[in-house]
Amino acid sequence: MLNNKTIVLGVTGGIAVYKACDVVSRLKKLGAEVHVVMTKSATEFVSPMTFQTLSNNFVTVDMFEEVKTWEVEHIELAKKADAFLIVPATANFIGKVANGIADDMLTTTVMATRAQLIIAPAMNTNMYNNPIVQGNIEKLKKYGAMFIDPASGILACGDTGRGKLETPENIVSFVEKFFEEKNIEKDLEGMKIIVTAGPTIESIDPVRYITNRSSGKMGYSIASEAVKRGALVTLISGKTEIEVPSGLHKYIQIESAEDLYRAIIEEYDSCDVVIQSAAVADYRPKTYSNKKIKKSDGDLVIELSRNKDVAQELGKIKGNKILIGFAAETNDLLENAKKKISKKNLDFIVANDLTKEGAGFKSDTNIVKIIDSKGNISEYPKLLKSEVAKVILDKLLKISDNKNK
């Protein structure tokens, strides 16, 4: 719900303006107070009266129209806003704001606001992909603006590609999520956390390699949740198909177990916590062939060498840091997990049985047991990995608080 939230909706000129009417309606149904500012171009597609009726507030268009109140209108709207949403946003609007141009009521109000700017672009796919437009988008992102990326599809001009305004439902959902995350308690503020995620790869030759089935979903969920709660997060990740979470302090992509170890060691002195959710290969080919190994009539034997146990090596130099490990097992879950706690000097370990439905690498859910260094076991039902991430970080916070007492 968006009760007691004031949203200023900027509407710029484009065929997708009619969808902004639905956005206003949906925001109102969720309890938001909505004020609409239109560019003159936008009024060529939908009349201000339509937005006025839907929002139950006067619609502002002209900087020099007759005043309805004794307030400096663009300043008052800028102050009222809890969020400033632009639907749709044209290339022209994005370019003007990115370069500090304020030549109409909408751009002037945007320049005067301290509220979060949320922009939903809509334009021809060639315009959207134009390096100038993309450069302006990146510039605004650096200034803190959030973007609701356009969808792909058949555009009004007949072209097919990215540039179609996201659906009103998804736009409003984005706004809801923004306020939900804004209200999350920043209980990890300033804590420096390294999160490892995804698989490692050990190359056999330029074509083949040894890896595992890790998707990286658990580690990325942890990193994302930690960022929301105020932590400075360095994510060290093997190759995944997951979008890198926004707001990271640092993102480091690695390939092999040795790469992972070196990356952690380089960041280790400046961190408070290491959460080791990456699935690290235990072995690597003893020799690497610079050329593709050709098929022969006989069997192929690949001799393997033991990789460095990254978690164990960190345990040796632990100091006052908090180390969290993971145990993905197919048998003797608790026994194997408990051994790892002692051997790797962990504060606690997150254990899951890969044979259980709804647990494991590719799933969006997980079923975990958390075992601490004293042998205490906490069991959890099947949860989304985002929910498991919250459980892990809550446990981390308790340990951190106890250490600081």
Side-chain angles (χ1 to χ4, degrees):
M1 296 298 288
L2 297 173
N3 294 327
N4 303 318
K5 300 299 181 187
T6 298
I7 297 171
V8 176
L9 179 68
V11 184
T12 70
I15 193 65
V17 169
Y18 74 95
K19 292 184 181 180
C21 299
D22 192 10
V23 171
V24 174
S25 178
R26 289 172 181 270
L27 291 172
K28 290 291 290 182
K29 287 175 181 176
L30 290 171
E33 177 77 6
V34 182
H35 295 267
V36 179
V37 182
M38 301 178 72
T39 63
K40 287 185 178 179
S41 296
T43 65
E44 298 294 325
F45 294 91
V46 175
S47 75
M49 182 58 70
T50 301
F51 285 104
Q52 186 167 303
T53 302
L54 290 169
S55 68
N56 295 324
N57 283 309
F58 289 117
V59 173
T60 307
V61 179
D62 191 345
M63 290 181 66
F64 303 106
E65 66 186 353
E66 184 179 350
V67 295
K68 303 177 184 72
T69 69
W70 292 109
E71 300 169 337
V72 180
E73 196 161 12
H74 72 281
I75 299 297
E76 288 306 312
L77 281 175
K79 287 180 178 178
K80 285 178 182 177
D82 293 306
F84 208 124
L85 177 64
I86 312 296
V87 182
T90 59
N92 181 59
F93 168 82
I94 292 169
K96 286 199 292 186
V97 175
N99 292 283
I101 298 171
D103 62 354
D104 59 16
M105 181 60 84
L106 179 56
T107 51
T108 302
T109 309
V110 167
M111 293 297 173
T113 193
R114 298 179 70 178
Q116 178 63 55
L117 182 60
I118 303 173
I119 300 173
M123 64 195 76
N124 171 270
T125 189
N126 293 328
M127 291 177 70
Y128 181 71
N129 291 323
N130 188 297
I132 297 171
V133 174
Q134 287 300 312
N136 287 331
I137 288 172
E138 289 305 312
K139 192 174 182 180
L140 286 172
K141 284 181 178 179
K142 288 178 182 177
Y143 290 143
M146 300 172 76
F147 278 78
I148 304 173
D149 293 336
S152 295
I154 299 174
L155 307 177
C157 60
D159 288 349
T160 300
R162 186 170 290 278
K164 186 176 182 180
L165 184 71
E166 187 53 274
T167 64
E169 180 182 8
N170 287 344
I171 291 171
V172 172
S173 177
F174 187 100
V175 174
E176 281 190 285
K177 186 178 179 183
F178 161 71
F179 282 111
E180 286 172 6
E181 292 181 359
K182 189 177 180 183
N183 292 331
I184 292 174
E185 185 181 356
K186 304 297 183 183
D187 52 5
L188 299 177
E189 190 89 58
M191 188 179 286
K192 297 173 183 176
I193 301 176
I194 294 174
V195 179
T196 69
T200 60
I201 288 174
E202 306 298 337
S203 294
I204 298 169
D205 63 20
V207 177
R208 305 175 182 90
Y209 54 81
I210 298 170
T211 189
N212 56 65
R213 299 180 187 276
S214 174
S215 65
K217 289 180 179 179
M218 190 68 254
Y220 277 61
S221 294
I222 294 168
S224 182
E225 180 65 20
V227 168
K228 292 175 190 175
R229 291 168 66 164
L232 289 169
V233 179
T234 295
L235 177 59
I236 303 176
S237 175
K239 292 181 181 179
T240 74
E241 296 180 357
I242 310 172
E243 185 177 346
V244 177
S246 60
L248 292 173
H249 173 62
K250 192 179 290 187
Y251 175 74
I252 303 169
Q253 187 171 84
I254 54 88
E255 187 167 284
S256 68
E258 184 62 27
D259 294 339
L260 177 65
Y261 175 72
R262 288 175 182 170
I264 293 177
I265 291 301
E266 192 169 323
E267 302 293 327
Y268 192 72
D269 286 345
S270 62
C271 82
D272 304 307
V273 182
V274 184
I275 303 177
Q276 303 170 77
S277 62
V280 185
D282 294 326
Y283 296 90
R284 69 182 184 278
K286 191 168 186 178
T287 58
Y288 171 76
S289 173
N290 291 320
K291 296 180 180 179
K292 179 183 175 183
I293 300 170
K294 301 302 290 182
K295 181 170 59 177
S296 64
D297 293 334
D299 295 333
L300 174 66
V301 176
I302 299 174
E303 197 173 350
L304 300 177
S305 295
R306 184 76 166 86
N307 267 331
K308 189 178 287 161
D309 188 322
V310 177
Q312 188 172 339
E313 292 301 315
L314 294 182
K316 293 176 183 177
I317 58 169
K318 181 177 180 178
N320 63 351
K321 301 185 191 303
I322 296 172
L323 300 182
I324 300 168
F326 279 71
E329 304 288 346
T330 57
N331 57 281
D332 302 323
L333 178 65
L334 292 178
E335 183 182 344
N336 288 328
K338 287 177 179 178
K339 286 179 181 177
K340 287 182 179 180
I341 293 175
S342 174
K343 186 178 180 181
K344 303 182 183 188
N345 199 12
L346 302 173
D347 288 275
F348 69 87
I349 195 164
V350 183
N352 66 289
D353 186 341
L354 297 178
T355 64
K356 287 189 176 181
E357 186 178 350
F361 292 137
K362 298 292 183 181
S363 175
D364 290 326
T365 59
N366 213 346
I367 304 168
V368 303
K369 293 179 174 66
I370 292 181
I371 310 163
D372 66 22
S373 57
K374 296 178 181 178
N376 299 311
I377 302 172
S378 301
E379 297 191 28
Y380 300 89
K382 183 165 70 175
L383 299 170
L384 290 171
K385 286 184 175 174
S386 58
E387 295 171 325
V388 176
K390 293 176 183 177
V391 168
I392 292 168
L393 294 176
D394 287 344
K395 179 76 171 175
L396 161 63
L397 190 62
K398 286 182 182 178
I399 291 174
S400 177
D401 288 344
N402 288 336
K403 283 193 173 187
N404 292 327
K405 283 182 180 178

